[in-house]
Amino acid sequence: MSAEMSERWDMIRSAAREFAEREIKPFAREHDERGEFPWPVMKKIAEVGYLGALIPEEYGGSGLDAVSYLIIIEEISKVCASTGVITSVHNSLVAGPIMKYGTEEQKRKYLPQLAKGERIGAFAATEPEAGSDLGALKTTAEKKGDVYVLNGQKTFITSGKDAGLIVVFAKTDPKAGHRGISAFLVESPREGLEVGNVFNKMGINANVVTELYFKDVEVPAENLLGEEGQGFKIALSSLDGGRLGIAAQSIGIAQAALQESINYRFTVEAAMAKMFASDTAMFAADRAVQIHGGYGYIKDYTVERLFRDARITQIYEGTNEVMRLVISGALLR
């Protein structure tokens, strides 16, 4: 790793962190509680080029390297995991396969729209009876003239309700198992494409996950992504990129948890409390002995014991001199 790249990545991280803290974090709790797609935030993410992070500049994207992209996902996820996964799916699972397998016409049509946030991307592979085993897909795509007609059901689709472009996997040859799977670029909304159940999830609530139903949905033949029968390969290679995005998201969440814990640690406050209380105890005991005069020095009187007991509070669990170092160090930082 060159010093130049390291410096570049530091700059990317600094900019992404500042953006996330300013534009995403203040709204994260609200979006999570409302369970709605965070459109205002996603538009801002598009404006700074993060929705087109991996898209080449010639197609309207930022043309960043993979490490820079993952840094961005990490920093976004640190303040809002929902927008982190939306951004990850959009880049890795939608823009990614178009860049790798799309025709030049598909790239020029869809990549600029994705980069600008004019269309949010979704990836529709999972079905009620086909998750990890893509060969078990039941959604079909039948070629009829210059269109493919899609029929079937998808489930657990990130951004399914709000996406404007969906990469859909369906069988063009149902008898060929995973070799019969093809991929399609389906614009949404579209006649016959219906949103089913919106899942009430445990977490990432602003990431709206839905079912999708395809009922005689006609897709232009030119929207076939790659070649017929290439869908299984496209799905697996796309998911590799998607998993890196989730890894970055996970690091972001872990760092957020650590930072919140650090913020909750009360080192300075504890030092202040210990120092002030022990000094107060010693002051009060000293005054009490003085008020008692000679009797305050006699063990028959309680204040003599209080004076002796108060003295240790300025010493153990860290002397008050150390407490002052802790407090002053925090203030100087």
Side-chain angles (χ1 to χ4, degrees):
M1 181 179 69
S2 68
E4 182 181 351
M5 287 305 298
S6 179
E7 184 178 351
R8 173 178 170 80
W9 290 330
D10 286 343
M11 292 175 61
I12 292 287
R13 182 179 298 281
S14 178
R17 181 173 296 172
E18 181 182 351
F19 170 81
E21 288 285 336
R22 184 182 69 251
E23 302 292 354
I24 303 177
K25 187 176 182 178
F27 310 101
R29 180 183 294 274
E30 177 188 352
H31 289 149
D32 181 76
E33 291 176 349
R34 294 175 64 178
E36 296 177 356
F37 189 88
W39 277 114
V41 167
M42 296 312 298
K43 289 179 180 177
K44 291 179 181 178
I45 292 176
E47 288 173 2
V48 292
Y50 294 164
L51 287 187
L54 296 175
I55 297 174
E57 293 180 3
E58 62 180 301
Y59 299 111
S62 299
L64 299 178
D65 61 277
V67 174
S68 297
Y69 159 66
L70 294 175
I71 288 172
I72 289 168
I73 296 298
E74 178 186 332
E75 292 298 329
I76 290 176
S77 300
K78 192 183 296 183
V79 300
C80 180
S82 292
T83 51
V85 72
I86 293 169
T87 306
S88 175
V89 169
H90 182 91
N91 276 283
S92 300
L93 300 185
V94 183
I98 294 176
M99 288 187 291
K100 188 172 183 178
Y101 298 100
T103 64
E104 186 60 27
E105 290 73 19
Q106 289 172 343
K107 293 177 183 178
R108 295 203 174 277
K109 180 178 181 180
Y110 292 118
L111 291 180
Q113 296 176 358
L114 292 171
K116 295 176 184 176
E118 294 174 354
R119 293 182 188 271
I120 295 295
F123 184 87
T126 303
E127 298 182 359
E129 298 179 14
S132 300
D133 181 13
L134 290 178
L137 292 182
K138 293 184 177 180
T139 298
T140 60
E142 183 180 357
K143 182 75 178 292
K144 292 185 177 180
D146 59 355
V147 300
Y148 285 89
V149 180
L150 275 60
N151 282 283
Q153 177 186 357
K154 299 293 181 180
T155 192
F156 297 134
I157 307 305
T158 290
S159 306
K161 183 171 72 70
D162 300 278
L165 184 66
I166 309 171
V167 179
V168 181
F169 295 86
K171 284 189 173 178
T172 46
D173 185 355
K175 297 179 181 180
H178 69 269
R179 293 184 178 86
I181 299 173
S182 300
F184 299 89
L185 299 174
V186 180
E187 297 181 9
S188 178
R190 197 167 195 84
E191 186 176 355
L193 174 57
E194 300 177 4
V195 176
N197 182 40
V198 176
F199 292 98
N200 185 15
K201 308 183 304 303
M202 177 190 295
I204 54 172
N205 293 319
N207 168 34
V208 182
V209 174
T210 67
E211 293 177 320
L212 293 176
Y213 291 93
F214 297 83
K215 299 178 180 179
D216 293 326
V217 176
E218 294 187 355
V219 179
E222 61 263 27
N223 278 31
L224 174 69
L225 183 60
E227 301 175 359
E228 277 198 12
Q230 207 175 13
F232 187 75
K233 175 183 177 181
I234 293 173
L236 292 186
S237 65
S238 301
L239 287 168
D240 285 340
R243 286 161 185 159
L244 286 176
I246 299 307
Q249 180 197 40
S250 301
I251 293 173
I253 294 173
Q255 290 202 0
L258 174 61
Q259 189 60 51
E260 289 297 318
S261 298
I262 290 173
N263 294 341
Y264 192 71
R265 291 170 192 164
F266 43 86
T267 303
V268 175
E269 289 79 3
M272 290 178 175
K274 192 266 185 187
M275 184 192 74
F276 182 79
S278 59
D279 283 350
T280 300
M282 192 60 198
F283 173 81
D286 178 72
R287 293 296 90 194
V289 169
Q290 192 69 22
I291 289 170
H292 280 65
Y295 291 111
Y297 204 69
I298 304 300
K299 287 192 174 183
D300 291 342
Y301 289 84
T302 301
V303 293
E304 183 272 341
R305 174 173 55 82
L306 293 177
F307 181 87
R308 288 185 289 107
D309 289 347
R311 188 66 183 88
I312 190 60
T313 65
Q314 293 178 307
I315 298 172
Y316 62 8
E317 303 300 341
T319 67
N320 280 9
E321 289 73 21
V322 171
M323 296 303 100
R324 289 179 173 87
L325 288 175
V326 171
I327 296 165
S328 62
L331 292 174
L332 289 174
R333 282 197 300 272

